[in-house]
Amino acid sequence: MTKAEERFSLHWGILSIFGTTPLESDSWGAFTDQAPYLSLGETPFVNPPLPMWGTVAWVKVMGETLPTSRFLSCILAMFSLIAMYIIAGNLGTSNHAMYASGFLAGSLIWNDIARHASPEIWGITFLLISIACILPLFKDSLHSLIARVLVSIGLTIACTCLILSSFSYSLLFMCFAVLYGILSKPSAQQARFIIPSIIIGFFIGHAWFLRMDLPYLSQMLDTLKQVHYVPSSMDIQTFIIDAALMPFFVVGLMSGMQSLFRIKDKQKGISFMMTCGWLLFAYAFMGFSFGILPPFILIALHGIGSFHGFVSSKRVQWILISSSFVIAAFGIAPRLVEGLSLLMNQQIVTVYGIIPLIAILMIFISAFILKSETLNHLVYTAMHKIILALVISSMIKVAFANLLGKTRISPDALVYMQQKSAIVDSLSDKDATT
């Protein structure tokens, strides 16, 4: 450790505890190199430091192994699911709050960051925790003073951790808080708990970047420039596998927009506008990524709740419900998506392409052949079981993906990584021989 690093560590009292010896990055991707964080005025590059601090501390206690590194991300993901439950109860209905966490955990896009030791899970975790803390304060659902004080302290800590975890998610939370404040117009009592908590939390978090004397704003802009808004073919394929809620998302979006023109419950209208604003901000700051999943799920659950009131035709209801089950089957058997894609794009006929095509045709044929009484019975039975069935299917999908070692890395990129690793190994062997 250099004297400059020692003075810096002792001044902050954090890195001196966690250590400043970089750990070597191996094949499972432990991201603990401190060079991007400890510039000491010599490099213009900066990353939010909390993922590095947490990883180094965790590895020092638990050891540098694949299971232990992923276990840290699993713990963060668990807190994210708890926060998602609280958010769904405040922006939706308490009946669907538990299912919101289930659908989030059952997403392959979410699984890709939650099961790896990646810095991204830190940002989404503290974003959800911050929103979960601020919503009860906005809605004034906490009746005791002690509860409001404790939640406001939690909001301060969450905001601090959010600033130290992700540029994009901290900006997203600020937009969320400002938009909710404009729509709900908090009282003076609510503002006394919300505004100081956010300001203190963000000030503590920004103190790190100010002390480091680094171009913080330019780094935030560089982060936003890396966002991709047009999904790749692999993104589209993964989204189709995860899109069992898409029919209900469309219903929730249309019914929510319709309710704004004839709104009877002001709070429901605010909740819907906040969810839509969250979705738009998430796409603007993070593009096509896992950041859009929470608002997508909330709007879809709103669609399930307003399904019968908005969609009056039993035939259309049957088509939407059946489509969601077919898409859920895509998640359990991803080869169906590949087969259907080959059939539609390249006219390559396989069993995996014929099965989903027949299923889709049967949905529309049955909607017009079956009698009204039969459709009513099918729709009534399916709607009572669809949420639980979709959650279970999503869990099976994630379990299969983890057991079979599925990855969203494209085959070409995977081959390139393997070839690069082989070249590095061969060069190392030559050096050792010489």
Side-chain angles (χ1 to χ4, degrees), residues 160-208:
T160 302
C161 295
L162 180 60
I163 285 291
L164 296 174
S165 299
S166 172
F167 295 135
S168 301
Y169 283 112
S170 59
L171 185 59
L172 174 59
F173 175 72
M174 285 302 300
C175 293
F176 181 93
V178 171
L179 180 60
Y180 208 155
I182 294 173
L183 293 176
S184 63
K185 298 178 181 178
S187 62
Q189 182 180 4
Q190 293 172 332
R192 281 196 294 268
F193 287 97
I194 296 173
I195 296 177
S197 299
I198 296 177
I199 292 177
I200 294 173
F202 271 60
F203 177 79
I204 296 174
H206 279 287
W208 160 265

Side-chain angles (χ1 to χ4, degrees), residues 116-133:
H116 293 95
S118 59
E120 290 84 0
I121 189 64
W122 293 79
I124 187 67
T125 296
F126 289 109
L127 170 71
L128 295 177
I129 293 176
S130 299
I131 295 177
C133 290

Side-chain angles (χ1 to χ4, degrees), residues 104-119:
L104 184 61
S107 167
L108 285 183
I109 302 176
W110 172 264
N111 180 66
D112 281 342
I113 67 160
R115 75 188 185 108
H116 293 95
S118 59

